[in-house]
Amino acid sequence: MLRDAARGFLDDAAPVSNLRANRDAGRPYDPALWDEMVKMGWAGVLIGEDDGGSDMGFAAANTLAEEMGRTLAASPFLSTAVIAATTLRRAGAPGLAEIASGAATYALAIDEGPKFAPAATRMAARADGNGFSLSGTKTFVGEGTSATRLLVLAQSEAGPTLFSIDAERAGISREKLDLVDSRDHARITFDDVVATGEDVVGEVGQGLAALAPGLRAGQAALAAELTGLSAGAFAMTAGYLKERKQFGRHIGSFQALQHRAAHLWSEIEVTASTIVNAGRVLDATPDEADLAVSLAKARATETANLAVREGVQMHGGIGMTDDFDMGFYMKRARVAAEWLGDYGYHAAVVARARGDAA
């Protein structure tokens, strides 16, 4: 029921043309669309009822993310309703009611280099009176220009520490990054930004532990989005195969293209099962979900790559033009493949969990 409701809403309110309109208007996402998502309870899908949420669980959050991927719907859902909500809830930190109501949106400021590596964080959190002074630069920050609050990982004397701070706090500057997927990404610089003890999420020096539940949830939801993206690209490609004629025949009747389409469909189905499994494990034993989540993200990355390459090739020349929507799927797949860990990162997690790597 949730999937059907989400698909009906997104097909009507957030088709791929909506992403094109956002890009052309220079806006990170459609605020009216996010307001509607909030009204439907999507912002509180992982928040308890006492804080205004519906507490439907990770499998439900993945279902919503997958349907958003089908139409490339742009919103702060992943960074806010999944990563921030899970992190704050597990840490017992305030702010959940503001997320559920739509009053606050979050961005995750952890990346500093070309690859996802939270443990390699070098941004400084220098002790300053009863609080901290944050200095350094974060890059590839999803929803970085639009978020009202930031989850920031920095190195204190006691070790990595996670902070939740107002995005407009003095000393913070945000620079928009123009990535190929036309979504909201930023480079954020912190220049002696004051953070108090109340801004700390979890315990001082235990930032990686505080962040881990949110990262697992976000990686699973991003994998779900990529799987939905693959299904959306496949549906567009299959529709084109049934319409385009060559040599007096629909090209979908050519056996070589049928084999390729069947192979892609099979890969999407197998990957979809890893998404279901990741949601199940996160709901049942969230602290033991690393293998299930990384398997889902690795497979979803590879499947999306296959889906968009096949989509562009089977569309022929028009698949490479901006006038046709297939290119938007390829661009989003490329960026999402890197966020929260690329294929190599998650394949290594799977290998270690299986005892195949040191």
Side-chain angles (χ1 to χ4, degrees):
M1 290 176 63
L2 178 65
R3 184 182 300 279
D4 290 344
R7 185 172 301 182
F9 168 74
L10 292 168
D11 284 347
D12 180 59
V16 182
S17 58
N18 197 51
L19 175 62
R20 184 186 296 274
N22 290 338
R23 182 200 65 177
D24 294 346
R27 63 191 180 200
Y29 59 88
D30 183 356
L33 175 64
W34 178 240
D35 287 344
E36 288 300 314
M37 292 179 177
V38 171
K39 291 177 183 177
M40 291 188 295
W42 293 7
V45 67
L46 295 174
I47 294 174
E49 294 180 5
D50 290 345
D51 289 305
S54 57
D55 203 11
M56 295 184 69
F58 295 103
N62 289 352
T63 296
L64 294 175
E66 186 175 343
E67 292 306 317
M68 291 181 201
R70 285 179 180 269
T71 64
L72 303 180
S75 78
F77 177 77
L78 285 181
S79 59
T80 301
V82 177
I83 298 174
T86 301
T87 301
L88 298 178
R89 186 176 185 183
R90 285 290 300 273
L96 294 174
E98 288 75 13
I99 291 177
S101 69
T105 57
Y106 276 79
L108 182 64
I110 56 174
D111 287 328
E112 297 179 3
K115 291 295 183 180
F116 175 75
T121 293
R122 292 292 176 266
M123 179 173 163
R126 179 176 51 84
D128 185 12
N130 293 326
F132 300 88
S133 177
L134 308 182
S135 294
T137 300
K138 298 292 186 178
T139 191
F140 199 17
V141 181
E143 319 310 331
T145 69
S146 60
T148 62
R149 296 193 65 81
L150 306 173
L151 281 179
V152 186
L153 188 65
Q155 284 285 352
S156 68
E157 187 175 331
T161 302
L162 186 64
F163 300 88
S164 172
I165 62 177
D166 189 329
E168 298 298 328
R169 190 163 296 181
I172 295 176
S173 58
R174 301 191 270 185
E175 174 190 357
K176 185 180 186 299
L177 296 179
D178 291 320
L179 301 189
V180 294
D181 66 345
S182 304
R183 300 283 279 268
D184 181 13
H185 306 282
R187 179 182 295 109
I188 302 181
T189 301
F190 299 78
D191 185 9
D192 290 329
V193 176
V194 175
T196 69
E198 294 182 352
D199 297 323
V200 175
V201 178
E203 301 294 329
V204 174
Q206 299 297 317
L208 292 176
L211 185 58
L215 285 180
R216 284 191 291 266
Q219 288 160 346
L222 183 56
E225 182 191 325
L226 280 165
T227 304
L229 178 154
S230 300
F234 174 78
M236 182 177 291
T237 302
Y240 183 73
L241 295 180
K242 296 174 183 178
E243 295 174 358
R244 170 68 170 160
K245 284 187 175 182
Q246 190 67 271
F247 309 114
R249 296 171 55 189
H250 288 104
I251 62 175
S253 67
F254 299 156
Q255 191 175 53
L257 296 185
Q258 289 177 350
H259 285 172
R260 290 169 65 175
H263 172 65
L264 174 56
W265 181 86
S266 299
E267 289 298 306
I268 293 172
E269 287 298 299
V270 173
T271 299
S273 71
T274 69
I275 304 302
V276 172
N277 182 61
R280 178 187 62 81
V281 176
L282 281 168
D283 281 328
T285 54
D287 293 331
E288 300 172 7
D290 284 347
L291 174 59
V293 168
S294 285
L295 177 61
K297 179 61 162 65
R299 268 212 63 100
T301 296
E302 288 292 275
T303 302
N305 183 39
L306 175 64
V308 297
R309 284 190 292 107
E310 291 288 72
V312 168
Q313 288 185 18
M314 292 190 201
H315 277 86
I318 64 170
M320 297 297 295
T321 66
D322 185 70
D323 288 339
F324 205 74
D325 289 340
M326 180 54 67
F328 285 104
Y329 284 90
M330 174 170 276
K331 293 170 183 177
R332 176 56 182 167
R334 187 67 192 92
V335 174
E338 293 293 327
W339 195 39
L340 303 181
D342 61 9
Y343 176 86
Y345 176 92
H346 288 287
V349 173
V350 173
R352 286 193 297 270
R354 294 179 55 189
D356 296 338

